[in-house]
Amino acid sequence: MSKQYNFDAIVNRRGTSCLKYDFGMKRKGRDDLLPLWVADMDFALPKEILDDLHKRIDHGIFGYTDPDGSYFDALNKWFSERHGYQIDPETVTVGCGVVYGLATGVNAFTKEGDAILIQQPVYYPFREVIEDNGRVFINNQLHYENGRYTIDFDDFEKKIVDNNVKVFILCNPHNPVGRVWTKEELERLGDICMAHGVVIMDDEIHCDFVYGENHFTSFMNLDPKYRKNLVLYTSPSKTFNVAGFQPANVIIPDADLRAKYRHANAAAGYSQGNIMGMEAVKACYTKGAAWVDELVEYISGNIAYVREFVKENFPKATFVEPEGTYLVWIDFSGYGFTDEELEHIMTEEAKLWLDSGKIFGPETAQFERFNLACPRATVEQAFEQLKQAMDAHQR
Ligand SMILES: Cc1ncc(COP(=O)(O)O)c(C=O)c1O
């Protein structure tokens, strides 16, 4: 495939109020760390998408805006062509980011003190939106064996029954462990949730990053019976790195659940969406396919580089093979460092800003999450820095 886009280009993001690069002093007390932490990419969008955004800016008037036919056409183009399902515009509620939508769902479908289940290690705001809203967090710990994660379905059902769980928050593909759940796994989860009246808040924000033989299955690809309990969260914010525009589409096929969600949304004072978020949805989903194809191939090259680097240089670490997402999850427990030593090596010695495994759940303090959505040169620099630091400790 001849290449149209240059993902090797280094764009200086410093001085743009960029969370990933500009807040080292504030958040880590130092400014010399190479950041591979927050799930935010270092690639500029292609001209064809920027042209559409410029056109909207050049109009000069930015009043209240609602999604119209062109918005839903764009959404349907992307999800029907790439993921094989149609979205009924009636079922869509826009939001200001997926996490806001998750918090809205928590308020819509549960009351204070109700139990909500998640599967750690998992994206930490899942736990935060549960506990910050006075709900009880229940964990169905993912099973880790031979460098791969699976679901303990018996524990999943037992925790639901024992705790009268009302909502399950699913992450597919799963951040940080990189699993892309199979059709069979999703059906088992769906069957258990249906049997016990559990609402599935299904976060599919990473759905466009899938590698090799793996195939992404959405809950929308399964038997329509599962839609009764489904609240699906999608957004172009990971695929196109437009999180700063806060787009999100919350798809709720069931009318009763949708009414509850919209009531909670209104109660939070939210009505029209962000104008540039909506423009981004339209531009990205209609013009972005070729760019995303090359992007995924490029990141797959970054993953291959890190897989080999870890094998050659960190013999006691386990590289958890990512089936999806642009995040890699590496287990350093084989070295026998204390949690503090590991943190010291990553930050003070390797000078890397990573997301430490402990923030995804207490059992994974010996893991580190690396964001590989950056030019190859940045990945190489990061792992060379890590090697230098680790070499002083390899025993
Ligand atoms: C699983 C998952 N959901 C949601 C988000 C954030 O979504 P938003 O910025 O739209 O709130 C992230 C960002 O990393 C994520 O990994």
Side-chain angles (χ1 to χ4, degrees), residues 156-298:
F156 181 78
E157 183 157 25
K158 187 170 178 337
K159 293 270 169 67
I160 286 177
V161 173
D162 288 356
N163 299 286
N164 192 18
V165 163
K166 302 285 188 225
V167 165
F168 160 45
I169 311 182
L170 171 69
C171 196
N172 184 31
H174 191 104
N175 167 12
V177 310
R179 278 297 317 277
V180 176
W181 304 114
T182 63
K183 178 170 181 284
E184 291 68 31
E185 286 169 320
L186 295 173
E187 284 171 347
R188 273 184 86 175
L189 292 173
D191 288 339
I192 295 169
C193 288
M194 298 278 284
H196 300 290
V198 174
V199 172
I200 304 169
M201 298 202 332
D202 175 14
D203 181 343
E204 298 186 358
I205 195 167
H206 293 276
C207 68
D208 293 306
F209 297 97
V210 175
Y211 308 104
E213 301 294 295
N214 301 291
H215 172 76
F216 175 73
T217 305
S218 168
F219 248 98
M220 292 290 275
N221 300 126
L222 305 183
D223 190 299
K225 70 180 179 192
Y226 296 109
R227 295 184 187 184
K228 177 106 195 74
N229 288 28
L230 180 66
V231 179
L232 171 63
Y233 297 83
T234 70
S235 170
S237 67
K238 294 295 139 201
T239 311
F240 295 93
N241 209 45
V242 290
F245 287 147
Q246 297 190 310
N249 290 295
V250 187
I251 298 151
I252 313 180
D254 181 77
D256 288 342
L257 283 185
R258 193 161 68 240
K260 284 185 184 158
Y261 183 89
R262 287 183 177 167
H263 178 74
N265 202 31
Y270 190 85
S271 49
Q272 277 72 34
N274 176 306
I275 187 170
M276 291 313 294
M278 287 191 273
E279 285 302 321
V281 165
K282 289 197 282 188
C284 293
Y285 284 160
T286 54
K287 309 278 174 70
W291 186 79
V292 171
D293 289 343
E294 284 191 27
L295 167 71
V296 171
E297 200 187 322
Y298 187 87

Side-chain angles (χ1 to χ4, degrees), residues 51-338:
D51 281 350
D52 278 12
L53 300 179
H54 282 304
K55 210 161 117 191
R56 187 65 193 85
I57 291 282
D58 287 345
H59 183 255
I61 300 178
F62 310 107
Y64 296 114
T65 305
D66 251 352
D68 59 9
S70 62
Y71 184 90
F72 294 114
D73 288 349
L75 204 56
N76 263 316
K77 181 174 165 58
W78 191 263
F79 287 95
S80 63
E81 288 176 5
R82 294 185 86 92
H83 299 298
Y85 65 87
Q86 289 283 335
I87 298 167
D88 175 357
E90 269 300 299
T91 64
V92 179
T93 307
V94 297
C96 51
V98 164
V99 175
Y100 165 81
L102 294 172
T104 306
V106 164
N107 283 308
F109 311 126
T110 64
K111 55 182 187 335
E112 266 193 67
D114 279 348
I116 298 180
L117 183 139
I118 60 176
Q119 296 174 308
Q120 287 184 327
V122 74
Y123 180 56
Y124 49 92
F126 283 12
R127 181 174 181 165
E128 288 171 355
V129 296
I130 295 169
E131 294 188 328
D132 288 348
N133 284 295
R135 274 61 168 173
V136 177
F137 126 89
I138 304 293
N139 182 28
N140 164 232
Q141 185 77 21
L142 292 175
H143 179 68
Y144 176 59
E145 198 175 338
N146 298 327
R148 189 163 192 268
Y149 282 88
T150 51
I151 296 169
D152 180 343
F153 288 98
D154 291 337
D155 181 69
F156 181 78
E157 183 157 25
K158 187 170 178 337
K159 293 270 169 67
I160 286 177
V161 173
D162 288 356
N163 299 286
N164 192 18
V165 163
K166 302 285 188 225
V167 165
F168 160 45
I169 311 182
L170 171 69
C171 196
N172 184 31
H174 191 104
N175 167 12
V177 310
R179 278 297 317 277
V180 176
W181 304 114
T182 63
K183 178 170 181 284
E184 291 68 31
E185 286 169 320
L186 295 173
E187 284 171 347
R188 273 184 86 175
L189 292 173
D191 288 339
I192 295 169
C193 288
M194 298 278 284
H196 300 290
V198 174
V199 172
I200 304 169
M201 298 202 332
D202 175 14
D203 181 343
E204 298 186 358
I205 195 167
H206 293 276
C207 68
D208 293 306
F209 297 97
V210 175
Y211 308 104
E213 301 294 295
N214 301 291
H215 172 76
F216 175 73
T217 305
S218 168
F219 248 98
M220 292 290 275
N221 300 126
L222 305 183
D223 190 299
K225 70 180 179 192
Y226 296 109
R227 295 184 187 184
K228 177 106 195 74
N229 288 28
L230 180 66
V231 179
L232 171 63
Y233 297 83
T234 70
S235 170
S237 67
K238 294 295 139 201
T239 311
F240 295 93
N241 209 45
V242 290
F245 287 147
Q246 297 190 310
N249 290 295
V250 187
I251 298 151
I252 313 180
D254 181 77
D256 288 342
L257 283 185
R258 193 161 68 240
K260 284 185 184 158
Y261 183 89
R262 287 183 177 167
H263 178 74
N265 202 31
Y270 190 85
S271 49
Q272 277 72 34
N274 176 306
I275 187 170
M276 291 313 294
M278 287 191 273
E279 285 302 321
V281 165
K282 289 197 282 188
C284 293
Y285 284 160
T286 54
K287 309 278 174 70
W291 186 79
V292 171
D293 289 343
E294 284 191 27
L295 167 71
V296 171
E297 200 187 322
Y298 187 87
I299 293 174
S300 170
N302 283 353
I303 293 170
Y305 172 87
V306 172
R307 181 194 300 119
E308 282 311 303
F309 196 97
V310 170
K311 203 170 8 160
E312 266 177 40
N313 298 292
F314 310 139
K316 295 184 187 168
T318 304
F319 173 85
V320 177
E321 186 64 45
E323 298 171 348
T325 80
Y326 53 67
L327 309 160
V328 300
W329 185 238
I330 301 180
D331 173 6
F332 289 92
S333 62
Y335 284 95
F337 301 131
T338 64

